[in-house]
């Protein structure tokens, strides 16, 4: 609908003009027999055209028709004076039903096509199939597609994730949201910078920025530049954000490799943080983060245009200064106040931050390993670690480690997750000195079992089961089912040999 500079539609402006002409007749009705003369007087006057602004006059019959319409409407006479909506409004008379169906099917298959391309293909389709009728014009096709929401879309197809995201976008509405409390939800994402940094070895690298925002207050919990987007850097930055602002209740991120790494996922679970992830190819679901990147590029990076060489340390230093001194203190257009003020004034559901050691233990991947009985070791990424001897009875053990730091590998209970002890790599050179510790008591064993495990075997006699079997066999009354043989086998052989010799040399037999 066409609108003028003041924002009013032409239909409304016409209705207001008509009501201003006949309004006096409704407010102060003429006496009987004087209405005709009054309408005739109004027909001789000049009025300002509501659209062009030029002088215009209206006929007697026109003013009389307006008056009758306004009299018939008791609640809103101005609405009665508006132009009537055409009965075929919203319908494309120049497009047949089959053409509309063909255009809809064409759009579902090719959403990235322009209006012109859709119109050209529809013309070609009508030329092939004469039953579709004459092809509509480009303006008709464009008007129909815009009226029915057949808009051009940037669809990324080819992957299952992109197809699921597109299906959700087609079926579900998109709405803005905001958490009710401080630290109820944090946003986390990486942003690829547009400027290289110079490293100490004179190489140039494109850094990435890790940003963590609080949803309710828009406060920047932590921001830092890194040389790579990986789980190690994510945990490094997230741990700093937690130590600065406390533990949040939930975290929203995309599906990047660093976000779905075992260390990240398991660490958030141990800290009691619900990890929500956006759909693939759906950046609009994390729009607050995208808005923050726009401010980083539009203000922070724009002020660095005159700086020659930028190092990673300098970039992080100016970023911290900009975030704390400008972004946190500047009035946010969405919330109407500074993020730091809303963060301090709002009701928080956050929790105190754990210690550095507890955070380090939390962001580790937990895996099972088979203990090698020969030397009591397990393998972690090609490195063998020694287990304490008190856990030598365990066939399967559970360990926890960070893939980027094997200097801290711990043994933990698989069921409860309790950290039992820290284990260390095998030092073969030190083991070559020949000294060995005595075997200690097996962990979680009672005193009798532990003593038996370390004591040497003694004469305990015949075991109970064997005694019972012998007694049952003897009770049958049957002789033992074997042929006994003398134990002194060597002596019997000697005797037999002697007797044979004597027989061979007997004179009587000769």
């Amino acid at each position: 609908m066409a609108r003028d500079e003041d924002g009013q539609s032409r239909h409304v402006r016409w209705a207001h003009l008509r009501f201003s002409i006949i309004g006096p007749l409704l407010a102060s009705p003429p006496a009987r027999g004087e209405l005709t003369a009054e309408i005739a007087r109004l027909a001789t006057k000049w009025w300002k055209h509501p659209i062009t602004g030029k002088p215009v006059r209206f006929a007697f019959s026109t003013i009389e028709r307006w008056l009758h319409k306004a009299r018939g409407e008791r609640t809103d006479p101005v609405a009665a004076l508006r132009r009537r909506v055409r009965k075929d409004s919203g319908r494309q008379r120049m497009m047949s039903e089959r053409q509309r169906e063909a255009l809809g099917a064409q759009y579902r298959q090719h959403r990235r096509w322009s209006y012109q391309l859709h119109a050209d293909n529809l013309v070609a389709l009508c030329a092939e199939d004469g039953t579709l009728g004459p092809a509509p014009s480009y303006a008709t096709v464009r008007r129909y597609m815009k009226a029915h929401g057949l808009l051009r879309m940037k669809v990324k197809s080819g992957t299952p994730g992109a197809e699921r995201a597109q299906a959700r976008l087609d079926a579900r509405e998109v709405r803005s949201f905001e958490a009710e409390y401080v630290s109820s939800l944090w946003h986390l994402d990486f942003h690829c910078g547009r400027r290289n940094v110079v490293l100490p070895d004179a190489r140039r690298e494109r850094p990435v920025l890790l940003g963590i925002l609080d949803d309710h207050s828009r406060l920047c919990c932590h921001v830092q530049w890194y040389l790579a987007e990986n789980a190690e850097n994510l945990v490094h930055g997230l741990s700093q954000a937690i130590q600065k602002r406390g533990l949040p209740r939930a975290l929203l991120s995309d599906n990047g490799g660093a976000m779905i790494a075992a260390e990240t996922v398991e660490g958030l679970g141990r800290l009691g943080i619900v990890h929500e992830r956006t759909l693939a190819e759906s950046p609009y679901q994390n729009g607050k983060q995208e808005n923050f990147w726009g401010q980083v590029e539009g203000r922070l990076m724009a002020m660095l245009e005159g700086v020659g060489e930028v190092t990673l340390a300098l970039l992080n230093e100016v970023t911290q200064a900009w975030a704390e001194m400008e972004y946190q203190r500047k009035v946010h257009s969405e919330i109407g106040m500074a993020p730091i003020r809303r963060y301090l004034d709002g009701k928080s559901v956050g929790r105190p931050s754990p210690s550095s050691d507890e955070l380090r233990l939390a962001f580790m991947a937990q895996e099972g390993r088979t203990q090698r009985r020969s030397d009591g070791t397990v393998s972690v990424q090609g490195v063998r670690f020694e287990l304490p001897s008190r856990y030598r009875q365990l066939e399967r053990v559970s360990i926890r480690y960070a893939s980027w730091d094997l200097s801290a590998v711990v043994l933990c209970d698989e069921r409860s997750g309790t950290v039992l002890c820290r284990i260390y790599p095998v030092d073969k050179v030190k083991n070559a000195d020949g000294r060995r510790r005595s075997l200690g008591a097996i962990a979680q064993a009672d005193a009798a079992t532990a003593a038996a495990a370390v004591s040497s075997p003694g004469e305990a006699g015949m075991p109970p089961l064997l005694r019972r079997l012998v007694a049952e066999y003897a009770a049958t009354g049957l002789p033992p089912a074997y042929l006994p043989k003398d134990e002194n086998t060597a002596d019997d052989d000697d005797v037999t040999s002697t007797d044979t010799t004597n027989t061979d040399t007997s004179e009587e037999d000769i």
Side-chain angles (χ1 to χ4, degrees), residues 172-208:
R172 301 286 183 177
E173 60 185 8
V174 178
R175 291 289 183 267
S176 301
F177 68 92
E178 180 181 284
E180 186 176 0
Y181 304 106
V182 173
S183 295
S184 176
L185 174 65
W186 282 6
H187 297 264
L188 181 147
D189 198 8
F190 280 96
H191 170 69
C192 184
R194 299 180 182 178
R195 180 168 181 173
N196 293 336
V197 295
V198 180
L199 302 181
D201 58 358
R203 291 187 299 110
R204 296 179 181 272
E205 293 287 345
R206 184 68 58 88
V208 292

Side-chain angles (χ1 to χ4, degrees), residues 1 11 82-94 143:
M1 182 181 295
H11 292 264
R82 295 183 62 174
R83 289 184 177 180
R84 291 184 301 176
V85 180
R86 292 176 48 168
K87 294 182 179 180
D88 59 350
S89 178
R91 302 178 182 177
Q92 296 292 335
R93 296 179 299 166
M94 302 304 297
R143 186 165 55 249

Side-chain angles (χ1 to χ4, degrees), residues 493-510:
D493 292 343
D494 293 341
V495 173
T496 304
S497 175
T498 304
D499 293 341
T500 304
T501 304
N502 293 339
T503 302
D504 291 341
T505 57
S506 176
E507 295 180 354
E508 295 179 356
D509 292 340
I510 298 173

Side-chain angles (χ1 to χ4, degrees), residues 143-453:
R143 186 165 55 249
Y144 172 82
M145 294 184 67
K146 295 183 68 175
H148 291 79
L150 306 181
L151 307 178
R152 183 179 184 182
M153 303 180 66
K154 296 180 179 180
V155 181
K156 296 182 179 181
S157 59
T159 62
E163 294 176 358
R164 289 194 300 269
Q166 187 61 46
R168 179 180 177 83
L169 190 61
D170 294 339
R172 301 286 183 177
E173 60 185 8
V174 178
R175 291 289 183 267
S176 301
F177 68 92
E178 180 181 284
E180 186 176 0
Y181 304 106
V182 173
S183 295
S184 176
L185 174 65
W186 282 6
H187 297 264
L188 181 147
D189 198 8
F190 280 96
H191 170 69
C192 184
R194 299 180 182 178
R195 180 168 181 173
N196 293 336
V197 295
V198 180
L199 302 181
D201 58 358
R203 291 187 299 110
R204 296 179 181 272
E205 293 287 345
R206 184 68 58 88
V208 292
L209 179 62
L210 172 65
I212 305 173
L213 302 180
D214 177 63
D215 183 86
H216 177 77
S217 63
R218 312 304 198 273
L219 183 82
C220 180
C221 301
H222 184 67
V223 59
Q224 186 169 349
W225 294 90
Y226 296 95
L227 294 179
E229 178 181 346
N230 52 35
E232 178 182 1
N233 293 333
L234 186 150
V235 170
H236 182 265
L238 181 57
S239 298
Q240 296 179 72
I242 293 174
Q243 291 177 320
K244 287 180 180 179
R245 317 295 179 183
L247 282 171
R249 294 294 178 177
L251 179 71
L252 178 64
S253 69
D254 58 18
N255 296 275
M259 289 72 167
I260 62 176
E263 291 85 352
T264 304
V265 175
E266 295 183 22
L268 293 176
R270 295 187 186 103
L271 296 175
I273 302 175
V274 179
H275 190 195
E276 301 287 351
R277 295 197 290 267
T278 62
L279 291 176
E281 307 294 344
S282 302
Y284 62 88
Q285 294 184 343
N286 208 356
K288 297 181 181 69
Q289 198 80 41
E290 299 298 329
N291 179 67
F292 179 72
W293 300 144
Q295 298 187 55
V296 170
E297 295 293 343
R299 297 190 62 85
L300 171 62
M301 301 307 294
M303 291 188 288
L304 291 176
E305 292 178 352
V307 181
E309 300 292 347
V310 177
T311 62
L312 186 63
L314 175 61
L315 187 57
N316 273 315
E317 183 179 352
V318 299
T319 301
Q320 298 298 325
W322 171 80
E324 295 297 334
M325 305 309 297
E326 180 182 286
Y327 173 79
Q328 312 280 45
R329 305 168 187 264
K330 183 180 178 181
V331 176
H332 198 284
S333 60
E334 186 72 18
I335 60 179
M337 63 176 65
I340 186 65
R341 175 51 50 196
R342 199 178 202 203
Y343 180 85
L344 296 175
D345 295 345
K347 183 178 180 180
S348 177
V349 294
R351 296 162 291 162
S353 170
S355 65
S356 299
D357 292 337
E358 291 173 335
L359 287 174
R360 186 179 298 109
L361 289 175
F363 289 105
M364 289 183 175
Q366 184 168 326
E367 298 179 357
R369 290 291 190 275
T370 300
Q371 180 179 185
R372 192 161 69 174
R373 291 296 181 86
S374 59
D375 56 357
T377 61
V378 294
S379 177
V380 182
Q381 293 188 344
V383 180
R384 302 210 67 84
F385 286 77
E386 293 179 337
L387 299 181
S389 62
R390 62 180 178 273
Y391 299 109
R392 63 185 179 277
Q393 83 282 5
L394 300 178
E395 180 180 358
R396 293 282 297 178
V397 296
S398 183
I399 61 171
R400 191 183 297 177
Y401 69 97
S403 59
W404 58 84
D405 183 16
L406 295 184
S407 63
V409 180
V410 297
L411 182 69
C412 59
D413 185 86
E414 184 178 5
R415 295 168 296 180
S416 64
T418 304
V419 176
L420 302 177
C421 64
R422 183 174 176 180
I423 59 177
Y424 298 90
V426 175
D427 190 346
K428 295 183 178 180
V429 175
K430 187 175 181 180
N431 291 342
D433 60 5
R435 292 182 296 178
R436 299 292 183 267
R437 291 187 296 269
S438 302
L439 291 178
I442 294 178
Q444 297 183 353
D446 54 26
T449 305

